[in-house]
Amino acid sequence: MAPAYDVIVLGLGGMGSAAAAHLAARGVKVLGLEKFGPVHNRGSSHGGSRITRQSYFEDPAYVPLLLRAYELYEELERETGRDIATLCGGLMIGRPDSRTVAGARRSAEQWDLPHEMLDAEQLRRRFPTLTPADDEVALYEARAGLLRPENTVAAHLQLAVRHGASLHYEEPVTRWEPYRDGVRVHTREDVYTASRLIICPGAWAPELLADVGVPITVERKIMYWFQPRGGTGPYRPERHPVYVWEDREGIQVYGFPAIDGPDRGAKVAFFRDGGVCTPETIDRTVHDHEIRAIADYLGPRLPTLPGTFIKGVTCMYSTTPDEHFVIARHPEHPEAVTVACGFSGHGFKFVPVVGEILADLALEGGTPHPISLFDPARFAGKLNGGS
């Protein structure tokens, strides 16, 4: 008996929703399984905004994927009519030899990306909300900006359904197993068979992918919104870019313009400041001492921003030891199972191209996209990714 589905996608957050949309658009029979409701806030694909940028300080190897992601985000907006990307410009700020500045400059120069280098005086004059130290500089990228994570996930789910995918919510997967030439997936409600399985577990990766030896740490993350003193006018997207700002100790803070009206404020966060947690044990309360800590940190850098605290929201980073992604076929079931995890707090901007890659790997066994950086054999010697 033939499997009921061509591909089952486990997890319909950012990556899983994109995979379901790409697969369904190629005419295959897709089942998507999600333990929560659509566009939920229990994982990592929420919070109103995510930074997108091409001068990528993490590694120049990401740039080709970013260029493709930008194309796909434009297509996603056209096909769904949703507001997804706002290219308001972006600043990578720090000392010239900091990872944030030097890494971004290296990627921009290697890939001939348009950018400007600004010294502290130029930065203060051009963006008066910011007060960098005299020895700090910035790389400015006009094509950087922000993405709407909830709209992105909703758009991919919309396209998946439009192309015939079946999406089941509030249906947690309890286990999966090889079955004939494919897989069998058990949920609390039913058992399904498919020729292929794609696992996009987010913060549930340590539990669901324990058998592949991928070392992933789940970290608690807080996003904060403040009402600037004097109002949000200077923080509107036409005047205020997104930014990543690194200090001399290597601490990074990032932020956004005020995008949702005068009463919603501007969003800021530390890049890596959370304690280790699990999806079950994460403390979702934002405490007073945490609010004071980021307000005190921002004060010398954006003096008018930490005016009135509006709200704080938690999410989770799923981080690999080298902070690079894991995208590959399963070590023991390479013909049937593909995994995508460990996006380490900087993966959302890649959502549509990761969906494309996962569809390639599941249907073709490989992808033309350059993903050797994401081969988890670098950890355990077990997995073999596409090339």
Side-chain angles (χ1 to χ4, degrees):
M1 183 174 66
Y5 295 93
D6 296 316
V7 186
I8 294 174
V9 179
L10 194 166
L12 295 174
M15 307 306 175
S17 65
H22 280 279
L23 287 163
R26 298 186 192 188
V28 302
K29 189 175 182 181
V30 178
L31 171 65
L33 296 171
E34 169 58 54
K35 70 182 300 178
F36 301 110
V39 198
H40 63 82
N41 64 357
R42 309 304 293 173
S44 304
S45 298
H46 63 281
S49 57
R50 291 289 187 276
I51 288 177
T52 189
R53 49 194 167 88
Q54 295 181 349
S55 299
Y56 216 61
F57 65 76
E58 287 84 349
D59 196 301
Y62 285 90
V63 174
L65 299 178
L66 286 162
L67 298 176
R68 177 58 176 158
Y70 270 55
E71 294 174 349
L72 291 171
Y73 272 119
E74 291 178 3
E75 290 180 14
L76 191 63
E77 286 188 318
R78 288 195 303 269
E79 292 180 10
T80 65
R82 294 180 182 269
D83 175 17
I84 292 174
T86 300
L87 300 185
C88 56
L91 292 164
M92 302 298 108
I93 309 171
R95 286 162 181 79
D97 61 349
S98 66
R99 181 192 183 200
T100 301
V101 174
R105 188 170 189 173
R106 181 171 62 252
S107 285
E109 292 176 348
Q110 179 172 325
W111 291 98
D112 196 25
L113 301 173
H115 67 285
E116 302 173 59
M117 297 303 302
L118 307 175
D119 62 26
E121 181 180 354
Q122 292 170 319
L123 185 55
R124 288 189 289 260
R125 184 169 61 248
R126 188 159 168 182
F127 302 104
T129 53
L130 310 177
T131 55
D134 289 342
D135 61 347
E136 291 182 315
V137 301
L139 180 145
Y140 176 72
E141 179 186 341
R143 290 278 292 166
L146 62 93
L147 302 167
R148 300 281 196 164
E150 289 90 346
N151 285 3
T152 299
V153 174
H156 279 130
L157 296 176
Q158 175 184 337
L159 289 183
V161 171
R162 180 186 299 174
H163 291 292
S166 298
L167 306 182
H168 294 193
Y169 301 105
E170 307 290 347
E171 189 169 346
V173 171
T174 57
R175 63 187 174 93
W176 64 269
E177 62 201 6
Y179 179 72
R180 296 179 179 174
D181 292 330
V183 294
R184 182 161 54 190
V185 177
H186 300 253
T187 75
R188 292 178 183 174
E189 283 73 32
D190 212 333
V191 179
Y192 307 96
T193 59
S195 299
R196 301 288 183 267
L197 173 66
I198 295 176
I199 304 176
C200 300
W204 287 261
E207 171 188 351
L208 294 176
L209 296 177
D211 60 335
V212 300
V214 178
I216 293 176
T217 300
V218 178
E219 303 170 72
R220 174 176 175 265
K221 170 74 179 170
I222 308 174
M223 301 169 280
Y224 305 84
W225 284 258
F226 288 92
Q227 178 70 18
R229 288 192 295 274
T232 56
Y235 289 84
R236 294 293 301 154
E238 60 270 18
R239 302 175 64 182
H240 189 79
V242 299
Y243 56 89
V244 179
W245 199 328
E246 181 178 345
D247 68 17
R248 65 172 65 248
E249 283 77 38
I251 297 171
Q252 292 170 305
V253 67
Y254 65 91
F256 300 80
I259 56 175
D260 290 317
D263 298 326
R264 299 294 181 90
K267 176 183 164 185
V268 295
F270 287 114
F271 190 31
R272 299 195 178 279
D273 67 331
V276 175
C277 68
T278 70
E280 291 71 35
T281 63
I282 181 174
D283 179 2
R284 295 192 180 273
T285 300
V286 179
H287 300 279
D288 288 345
H289 71 272
E290 295 171 319
I291 300 166
R292 288 195 299 270
I294 195 165
D296 290 345
Y297 187 90
L298 291 171
R301 296 166 176 84
L302 295 94
T304 63
L305 181 56
T308 303
F309 174 70
I310 298 175
K311 68 174 181 177
V313 174
T314 59
C315 70
M316 290 173 284
Y317 282 179
S318 304
T319 302
T320 65
D322 61 6
E323 299 175 9
H324 295 310
F325 310 157
V326 171
I327 304 174
R329 291 172 290 164
H330 194 285
E332 298 176 8
H333 313 285
E335 298 304 317
V337 183
T338 302
V339 300
C341 58
F343 289 94
S344 301
H346 64 106
F348 195 88
K349 59 186 71 64
F350 298 89
V351 156
V353 71
V354 170
E356 187 171 65
I357 290 166
L358 292 174
D360 290 344
L361 292 176
L363 300 179
E364 308 297 335
T367 178
H369 290 293
I371 63 169
S372 60
L373 182 63
F374 313 136
D375 184 350
R378 68 192 193 269
F379 302 126
K382 287 186 174 182
L383 291 175
N384 294 307
S387 60

